[in-house]
Amino acid sequence: CQHANRRIVRIGKDMKVSTLIDRFQGKRFNSPNDLVYKSDGALYFTDPPYGLLKQDEDPAKELKFNGVFRLANGKLQAIIRDLTRPNGIAISPDQKILYVANSDEKHKVWMQYDIANDGTVKNGRVFYDVTGEKEDGLPDGMKLDSQGNLYCSGPGGVWVFSPDGKHLGTIKPPETPANCNWGDDGK
């Protein structure tokens, strides 16, 4: 995701950069932020306004919403249009649940959606709400382990949840994280 360039690119083995996608219905994206591939090859990605100087009020903003998109078989769909700041994104190991972080100071939540057979989403619901948390950080990047536990950067650290939404604990590094990933050893 190239935030400031408002596009998603592909980097070839020869390190050549080419645009994968940069528009929805002829309008430039806001600033693609995070992405995840489903096992069927579908690409899901978030498009908040963070790359625009004045965000939602920026005159360069062409889309009227901040969305979550799905690109599959050359077809692009806006599958979520009602989140104010869609940011981090992940898919459950069984490929049935899409998680999206909403990084809005007024509505700090991780959302959960059922992935329908056609790849769209339904039954959007709050997975976990940290709006009342006072520590620095917002719901942002996330990863899932093989059992479906979520590791989500958020207020004060990396929040760890079971698949059923139980808060298992928070990893508190010396600085506020915006994302997380697995090391080569899988830890």
Side-chain angles (χ1 to χ4, degrees):
C1 292
Q2 289 189 332
H3 215 54
N5 288 334
R6 303 171 69 181
R7 64 184 183 162
I8 296 177
V9 299
R10 178 181 297 141
I11 302 173
K13 290 181 182 181
D14 61 358
M15 301 307 288
K16 183 176 179 182
V17 176
S18 60
T19 299
L20 177 63
I21 192 159
D22 62 357
R23 297 177 187 277
F24 175 67
Q25 296 179 341
K27 296 180 179 175
R28 291 186 71 197
F29 290 123
N30 301 317
S31 53
N33 180 272
D34 200 357
L35 56 81
V36 64
Y37 279 96
K38 194 167 177 252
S39 62
D40 64 3
L43 173 67
Y44 292 76
F45 65 95
T46 59
D47 187 38
Y50 297 132
L52 299 169
L53 189 61
K54 295 181 180 178
Q55 296 193 20
D56 285 328
E57 307 306 317
D58 198 295
K61 183 176 169 117
E62 296 179 26
L63 294 174
K64 295 187 186 289
F65 64 96
N66 301 315
V68 178
F69 294 86
R70 176 180 180 263
L71 177 63
N73 302 316
K75 181 181 175 191
L76 181 65
Q77 299 169 285
I79 59 170
I80 301 170
R81 294 176 181 241
D82 62 351
L83 293 177
T84 52
R85 295 289 185 271
N87 200 331
I89 190 166
I91 295 176
S92 63
D94 66 6
Q95 306 284 285
K96 294 181 179 180
I97 304 290
L98 180 74
Y99 297 95
V100 180
N102 190 57
S103 300
D104 185 335
E105 196 66 52
K106 296 175 186 165
H107 190 58
K108 300 186 272 192
V109 297
W110 289 281
M111 295 295 295
Q112 183 180 52
Y113 301 84
D114 297 325
I115 300 175
N117 290 336
D118 66 357
T120 59
V121 295
K122 58 186 179 177
N123 302 325
R125 58 214 176 263
V126 173
F127 177 73
Y128 205 88
D129 188 332
V130 289
T131 304
E133 294 293 323
K134 302 298 181 210
E135 291 187 83
D136 286 341
L138 297 166
D140 201 336
M142 67 182 94
K143 298 294 180 273
L144 280 78
D145 66 20
S146 60
Q147 280 125 26
N149 295 310
L150 289 84
Y151 297 75
C152 306
S153 58
V158 177
W159 291 60
V160 184
F161 302 101
S162 67
D164 62 357
K166 180 180 179 190
H167 180 218
L168 302 175
T170 303
I171 302 166
K172 296 189 171 266
E175 60 186 48
T176 304
N179 211 333
C180 55
N181 206 347
W182 308 120
D184 289 338
D185 63 357
K187 295 180 181 177

